[in-house]
């Protein structure tokens, strides 16, 4: 956690916050990323502002902005998500609802950071990692993403085949048909047309309400699930499922997709407040969907032999039909199909956006195929390979679905570390850098994810490990995190004091306390907020190649290497656990 500190130099911060151009995106690689915001529900001119607008006009502007946050969140409830939530409901009832509630702040904090990075920097997540950390760390980050994303898209096609198989359409027709449809939507050369298609798919999610109602859910049982518990004890099987829930709810691809989609939609700093609302709308939708899916399996299959015997999402649809009637089974299958199409689209775009960032090629939905061939060829190739792999044996594919979500869960700490470091980079974000409170929350999130994957590692190595031992481990880990956070705070205070002393010396050997008093000049809170917001709305990241790359301290470098080394081991152990499950 020591590599989250951003140091402190007030004089340098103030100077940095005044040098960047105000509107166009000097860091942008693709000219299509600058211009009017053309959304599914409206248009905002490049230089429009909120000044003098009526409430109705502001609402219309909000509608024009809505898209990246909603799509990334609903895409989160993809085929793997449906399968994971259904497994939780079928095997453990509503006892794991608490995991979803705890993930709400994780979702918002992570995705809000990439909103700021995209709107202020005007470039994708991968581009920033390469520019600020170099090729070595960039290759690690992007390599993880490409592997996990490719496997994730395989699970989306598995979902398509299971959903349409429920209605009698064979996999040999359903998977190629879905691949062609997904490519056709993206390759139209119109951002607005693509976003409207995604909104149409999102609207189909409304079937989750009649689905949840028709299985006759128990409000009291659902409420009990809000209280954290470990049904059957905290063993490796339950831990793998919890990690899978984390991985499917907060996946690394979401960071790359939303930042690039914010850039592609041409959202600038003055619209960040609206994009945060967009994000909250998406979070509400994704949480309602997750609870509905969990409830459908928990209550729709109650009292049957299927309880505790999850195999895959297709089997859940069939079991719901047999127990609750054809309508319930069909609604679940429709939800699975819809989730698979949205997920495949979003994950595929996250990958090809990143490919464009990495290779420096055009990567925008505003371009036609002839104008950005690499972007569309990469997307088509990804769909083709994933579709082919989805024809593997069924028992392998079922376990692959859960394994992919677990992999995403153990890789998330690494992705979040890069995210936090970027959001503390004053050269990139200027006045938009993380506050101390945001860093504390982000640090808690990263450390919690690391502890969770450590517990999974221990439970995999020692399957008979007692629940009490794991709970003690969590307690010790929390104490270590707390002490580490206090150490970081003191280190940051020392760095700020040294910076102040240096500034005092440069100003003629002033008293450092006098320099600090200058920063605390008597302004009202409202005046300070007005000055900060005016500065923020106009600030953009300068061209990245003009910025000096930040140096890693020995402590930060050691932390990064240790985290990377551990995650390699964790990924191997997840693979071992999946293989063990395949072998029975």
């Amino acid at each position: 956690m020591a590599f989250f500190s951003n140091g402190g130099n007030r004089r340098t911060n103030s100077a940095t916050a005044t040098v960047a151009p105000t509107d166009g995106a000097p860091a942008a690689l693709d000219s299509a990323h600058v211009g009017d915001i053309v959304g599914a529900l409206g248009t905002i001119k490049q230089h429009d502002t909120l000044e003098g607008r009526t409430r109705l006009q502001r609402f219309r502007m909000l509608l024009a902005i809505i898209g990246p946050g909603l799509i990334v969140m609903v895409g989160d409830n993809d085929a793997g998500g449906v399968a994971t939530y259904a497994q939780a409901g079928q095997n453990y009832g509503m006892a794991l609802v608490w995991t979803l509630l705890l993930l709400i702040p994780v979702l918002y904090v992570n995705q809000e950071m990439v909103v700021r990075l995209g709107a202020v920097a005007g470039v994708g997540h991968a581009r920033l990692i390469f520019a600020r950390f170099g090729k070595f760390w960039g290759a690690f980050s992007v390599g993880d993403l490409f592997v996990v994303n490719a496997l994730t898209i395989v699970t989306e096609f598995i979902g398509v085949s299971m959903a349409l198989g429920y209605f009698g359409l064979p996999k040999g027709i359903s998977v190629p048909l879905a691949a062609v449809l997904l490519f056709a939507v993206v390759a139209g050369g119109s951002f607005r047309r693509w976003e409207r298609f995604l909104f149409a798919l999102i609207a189909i999610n409304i079937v989750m309400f009649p689905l949840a109602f028709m299985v006759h859910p128990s409000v009291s049982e659902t409420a009990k699930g809000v209280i954290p518990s470990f049904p059957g004890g905290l063993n490796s099987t339950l831990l793998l499922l919890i990690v899978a829930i984390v991985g499917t709810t907060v996946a690394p691809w979401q960071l790359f997709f939303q930042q690039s989609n914010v850039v592609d939609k041409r959202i600038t700093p003055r619209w960040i407040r609206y994009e945060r609302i967009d994000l909250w709308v998406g979070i509400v939708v994704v949480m309602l969907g997750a609870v509905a899916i969990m409830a459908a399996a928990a209550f729709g299959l109650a009292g049957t032999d299927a309880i505790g015997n999850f195999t895959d999402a297709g089997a859940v649809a069939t079991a719901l039909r047999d127990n609750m009637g054809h309508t319930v089974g069909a609604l679940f299958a429709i939800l699975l199909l819809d989730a698979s199409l949205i997920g495949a689209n979003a994950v595929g775009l996250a990958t090809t956006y990143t490919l464009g960032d990495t290779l420096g090629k055009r990567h925008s939905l505003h371009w036609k195929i002839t104008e950005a061939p690499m972007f569309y060829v990469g997307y088509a190739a990804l769909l083709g390979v994933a579709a082919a792999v989805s024809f593997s044996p069924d028992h392998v594919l079922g376990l692959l679905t859960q394994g992919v979500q677990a992999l995403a869960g153990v890789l998330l700490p690494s992705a979040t570390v890069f995210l936090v470091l970027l959001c503390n980079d004053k050269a990139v974000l200027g006045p938009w850098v993380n506050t101390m409170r945001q860093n504390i929350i982000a640090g808690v999130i990263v450390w919690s994810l690391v502890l969770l994957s450590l517990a999974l590692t221990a439970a995999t190595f020692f399957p008979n490990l007692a629940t009490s031992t794991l709970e003690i481990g969590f307690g010790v880990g929390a104490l270590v995190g707390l002490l580490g956070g206090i150490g970081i705070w003191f280190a940051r205070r020392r760095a700020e004091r040294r910076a102040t002393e240096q500034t005092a010396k440069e100003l003629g050997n002033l008293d450092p306390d006098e320099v600090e008093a200058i920063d605390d000049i008597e302004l009202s809170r409202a005046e300070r907020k007005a000055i900060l917001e005016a500065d923020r709305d106009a600030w953009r990241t300068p061209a990245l190649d003009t910025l000096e790359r930040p140096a890693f301290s020995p402590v930060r470098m050691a932390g990064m290497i240790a985290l990377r080394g551990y995650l390699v081991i964790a990924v191997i152990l997840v693979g071992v656990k999946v293989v063990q499950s395949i072998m029975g």
Side-chain angles (χ1 to χ4, degrees):
M1 293 174 66
F3 33 80
F4 291 162
S5 176
N6 63 355
N9 188 325
R10 293 183 178 88
R11 193 164 67 86
T12 301
N13 292 354
S14 299
T16 302
T18 59
V19 296
T22 59
D23 210 352
L29 288 173
D30 196 324
S31 59
H33 294 158
V34 181
D36 297 344
I37 296 173
V38 183
L41 303 177
T43 300
I44 299 176
K45 297 296 183 182
Q46 182 177 355
H47 300 291
D48 279 350
T49 68
L50 291 170
E51 294 180 7
R53 304 288 182 174
T54 65
R55 288 186 178 180
L56 179 58
Q57 289 173 326
R58 288 171 181 256
F59 179 70
R60 287 175 175 172
M61 286 179 161
L62 172 61
L63 292 179
I65 293 294
I66 283 179
L70 178 60
I71 292 170
V72 76
M73 288 295 100
V74 177
D76 184 39
N77 275 2
D78 59 357
V82 171
T84 302
Y85 302 141
Q87 180 179 5
Q90 185 172 344
N91 289 357
Y92 299 102
M94 303 302 288
L96 296 179
V97 169
W98 61 271
T99 60
L100 299 175
L101 297 181
L102 290 181
L103 287 173
I104 291 176
V106 181
L107 278 172
Y108 180 76
V109 170
N110 279 6
Q111 298 304 130
E112 190 276 339
M113 285 193 281
V114 293
V115 166
R116 279 184 281 132
L117 286 172
V120 176
V123 298
H125 202 59
R127 168 63 176 156
L128 280 181
I129 292 175
F130 274 99
R132 304 307 287 160
F133 303 118
K135 294 181 180 179
F136 177 78
W137 293 108
F140 268 124
S141 179
V142 171
D144 289 345
L145 183 79
F146 286 159
V147 172
V148 175
N149 281 10
L151 293 174
T152 300
I153 297 175
V154 173
T155 68
E156 312 301 358
F157 282 118
I158 295 170
V160 168
S161 65
M162 288 178 177
L164 292 179
Y166 176 89
F167 297 104
L169 194 65
K171 180 188 290 189
I173 296 176
S174 61
V175 170
L177 184 64
V180 171
L181 173 64
L182 289 168
F183 181 77
V185 171
V186 168
S190 169
F191 186 95
R192 170 171 284 170
R193 188 180 303 120
W194 166 81
E195 194 170 72
R196 283 178 173 172
F197 176 77
L198 265 294
F199 277 21
L201 290 180
I202 290 171
I204 297 175
N205 270 262
I206 199 171
V207 303
M208 65 185 174
F209 294 110
L211 173 64
F213 177 77
M214 294 177 71
V215 297
H216 310 298
S218 167
V219 176
S220 61
E221 286 298 315
T222 303
K224 289 179 183 177
V226 173
I227 302 172
S229 64
F230 303 105
L234 195 58
N235 51 53
S236 61
T237 301
L238 179 60
L239 273 172
L240 184 64
L241 180 58
I242 292 174
V243 172
I245 292 174
V246 173
T248 193
T249 309
V250 192
W253 69 262
Q254 293 173 271
L255 307 178
F256 290 81
F257 172 82
Q258 187 168 8
Q259 183 167 333
S260 291
N261 202 235
V262 163
V263 173
D264 207 8
K265 194 163 182 176
R266 303 162 178 170
I267 293 172
T268 56
R270 68 169 61 98
W271 306 110
I272 285 178
R273 289 183 291 276
Y274 279 9
E275 182 53 30
R276 286 168 175 160
I277 296 173
D278 174 32
L279 180 57
W280 274 117
V281 171
I283 289 173
V284 170
V285 173
V286 76
M287 287 295 119
L288 289 175
V291 173
I293 294 165
M294 200 177 286
F299 300 113
L301 301 179
T304 70
D305 294 337
I307 288 295
N309 297 303
F310 175 84
T311 53
D312 56 54
V316 172
T318 301
L320 285 172
R321 179 195 62 194
D322 295 341
N323 191 50
M324 302 296 298
H326 180 70
T327 301
V328 173
L331 288 176
F332 187 89
I334 290 171
L335 192 60
L336 174 61
L337 175 62
D338 189 53
S340 303
L341 293 175
I342 295 173
N345 193 294
V347 177
L349 278 176
T351 310
T352 47
Y353 274 143
T354 301
L355 184 64
D357 270 333
T358 303
L359 301 179
K361 302 293 184 180
R362 286 179 170 179
H363 50 292
S364 171
L365 291 167
H366 294 284
W367 296 115
K368 298 185 183 300
I369 294 180
T370 55
E371 296 170 322
M374 179 68 72
F375 179 66
Y376 293 106
V377 168
Y379 186 76
L382 188 63
L383 291 179
V385 171
V389 174
S390 71
F391 284 89
S392 300
D394 290 343
H395 72 285
V396 174
L397 294 177
L399 290 166
L400 175 65
T401 299
Q402 184 184 356
V404 168
Q405 312 311 318
L407 280 175
V410 298
L411 290 174
L412 186 60
S414 175
T416 306
V417 165
F418 281 114
L419 175 60
V420 174
L421 291 175
L422 287 171
C423 284
N424 280 279
D425 192 335
K426 295 183 181 68
V428 171
L429 282 187
W432 288 97
V433 292
N434 275 3
T435 63
M436 174 64 83
R437 182 176 63 180
Q438 288 171 319
N439 280 331
I440 290 173
I441 295 173
V444 170
I445 289 171
V446 172
W447 191 242
S448 299
L449 294 172
V450 169
L451 289 179
L452 189 59
S453 57
L454 278 171
L456 175 62
T457 302
T460 302
F461 266 127
F462 308 103
N464 296 322
L465 206 61
T467 299
S468 58
T469 303
L470 288 170
E471 290 174 346
I472 292 172
F474 278 122
V476 172
L479 179 61
V480 170
L482 177 61
L483 294 176
I486 293 173
I488 292 171
W489 184 83
F490 278 112
R492 179 172 179 177
R493 292 295 299 168
R494 285 198 301 270
E496 289 178 346
R497 182 65 180 181
R498 286 195 298 268
T500 300
E501 290 171 352
Q502 179 64 29
T503 301
K505 184 177 180 180
E506 292 174 358
L507 293 176
N509 294 318
L510 296 178
D511 184 344
D513 292 332
E514 293 177 353
V515 174
E516 288 189 340
I518 293 173
D519 188 63
D520 296 329
I521 189 170
E522 292 185 3
L523 290 175
S524 69
R525 184 174 182 180
E527 288 171 329
R528 286 178 178 273
K529 183 177 180 181
I531 292 172
L532 179 60
E533 289 185 352
D535 192 23
R536 281 180 159 193
D537 286 351
W539 205 90
R540 299 303 300 274
T541 304
L544 292 174
D545 57 6
T546 67
L547 302 179
E548 184 178 351
R549 184 177 296 171
F552 273 19
S553 68
V555 174
R556 179 180 291 185
M557 179 61 75
M560 292 287 286
I561 292 174
L563 178 63
R564 170 56 59 182
Y566 168 70
L567 289 177
V568 170
I569 296 173
V571 168
I572 292 173
L573 288 173
V574 170
V576 169
K577 184 64 179 176
V578 172
V579 170
Q580 288 176 344
S581 299
I582 292 175
M583 301 299 294

